[in-house]
Amino acid sequence: MGRAPCCDKDNVKKGPWCPEEDATLKEYLEKHGTGGNWIALPRKAGLKRCGKSCRLRWLNYLRPGIKRGGFTEEDDKIICTLHGSIGSRWSVIASQLPGRTDNDIKNYWNTKLKKTLLPGNSSCPKSENMSNETTNEIRHLNLQQFWASIPTAETYDSGNSACFDTNSNALPYSSESNVQNYDSNGLVPDPSLIISRSMQVSGFHTSGSGSENYSKTSSQDLSGLSTSSTLALENSYGLWSGINGSVKEDGIMHMDFGCESHDDEFLNGFGFQEDTRELAPYLGN
DNA sequence: CGTTAAACCGTTAACTCC
DNA sequence: GGAGTTAACGGTTTAACG
């Protein structure tokens, strides 16, 4: 006996969505939100689709602020770097690329990046496949972005994909209008601050090199953030131990990366050491 | 602790282009 | 008709809830 199907398969439509269905779903969600229940949603909205299909359609296609195609070189670097570090945790990678969906990134990786960047079909963009310049660039980018990406309780990106409060009727996306900009002098935050800050947000700027503005929201906005991405961060990027689960007496941050690995040498090359003393030069300590 | 729903990701059907 | 691309499905894992 298998698991019970999520819906009555005889009475649901499958396959590509037509414009009418899209319009119906969009209109319903804009009016009523999800109501915290995707499964009941299609019936309420008058759609002959299963809730899972509606959710996917909304998140991957209809949701406002969605970006499709047009990946930049910087997007490529972020994807390659993160994929090299954490593997195919597409939702985590997507959380670093505002407006991108896990599905989109996964497709892009499988159809383009994997072929162009990993000719040896390696799981990691190892140095032998790249020029030194490129490798160094990615290393630097990775460090900056990894540290910068550790969110503060006040930061998340306006266009992020993963803001979704299942307990409210709020639509599962963040509202750009609630976002204020502030200057972030120095992309790499103090590690002690990093750790003391709550990892409760799902999205944050990762692009650029230090002079960009970051975004912050009111605390109210944080309630709408994705729990899944929060957990994804915690699960993927490690368990933080020590004071407040973070920094030990020696002031060194000890990290236990829970991700399967991939290639220790590679990770070290990208700054993923267990002991962040090695990262001091990058962290400005 | 069992059940249910959401989230996630690998796979593939469907489509487009050459 | 084969290759490339993308949207969607299916199955599994995770989280939430009673």
Side-chain angles (χ1 to χ4, degrees), chain A residues 188-189 191 279-285:
Chain A
V188 180
L279 296 179
Y282 301 97
L283 296 170
N285 290 339

Side-chain angles (χ1 to χ4, degrees), chain A residues 226-245:
Chain A
S226 160
T227 54
S228 68
S229 292
T230 303
L231 291 161
L233 275 168
E234 290 172 351
N235 291 338
S236 302
Y237 295 152
L239 303 166
W240 309 72
S241 59
I243 296 171
N244 293 329

Side-chain angles (χ1 to χ4, degrees), chain A residues 84-104:
Chain A
S85 310
I86 63 173
S88 54
R89 305 290 297 272
W90 303 117
S91 63
V92 179
I93 296 172
S95 74
Q96 304 293 302
L97 293 165
R100 301 283 184 197
T101 68
D102 55 350
N103 207 34
D104 200 20

Side-chain angles (χ1 to χ4, degrees), chain A residues 97-226:
Chain A
L97 293 165
R100 301 283 184 197
T101 68
D102 55 350
N103 207 34
D104 200 20
I105 292 170
K106 178 178 62 182
N107 283 337
Y108 184 56
W109 171 266
N110 285 330
T111 58
K112 300 214 178 69
L113 288 181
K114 193 162 71 174
K115 290 171 190 168
T116 56
L117 296 176
L118 307 174
N121 201 25
S122 160
S123 63
C124 302
K126 291 188 180 200
S127 56
E128 59 262 33
N129 293 329
M130 297 183 224
S131 68
N132 287 340
E133 197 180 36
T134 305
T135 305
N136 288 335
E137 199 178 350
I138 290 179
R139 283 183 183 181
H140 185 59
L141 172 89
N142 182 74
L143 282 167
Q144 285 191 323
Q145 298 207 332
F146 180 78
W147 290 113
S149 73
I150 303 300
T152 72
E154 298 181 323
T155 61
Y156 79 89
D157 182 83
S158 60
N160 190 272
S161 61
C163 302
F164 176 29
D165 179 359
T166 56
N167 294 319
S168 77
N169 285 333
L171 290 174
Y173 63 91
S174 63
S175 168
E176 199 149 348
S177 63
N178 291 330
V179 177
Q180 302 169 310
N181 292 323
Y182 73 93
D183 179 50
S184 68
N185 278 328
L187 191 59
V188 180
D190 179 332
S192 62
L193 291 176
I194 293 168
I195 301 310
S196 65
R197 290 168 182 171
S198 163
M199 295 177 89
Q200 290 181 344
V201 295
S202 61
F204 21 81
H205 273 297
T206 57
S207 60
S209 56
S211 60
E212 282 80 6
N213 289 337
Y214 278 69
S215 303
K216 73 174 180 181
T217 69
S218 66
S219 58
Q220 186 182 6
D221 295 325
L222 293 172
S223 66
L225 295 172
S226 160

Side-chain angles (χ1 to χ4, degrees), chain A residues 76-91:
Chain A
D76 292 358
K77 287 178 190 170
I78 293 168
I79 295 166
C80 289
T81 301
L82 288 174
H83 187 274
S85 310
I86 63 173
S88 54
R89 305 290 297 272
W90 303 117
S91 63

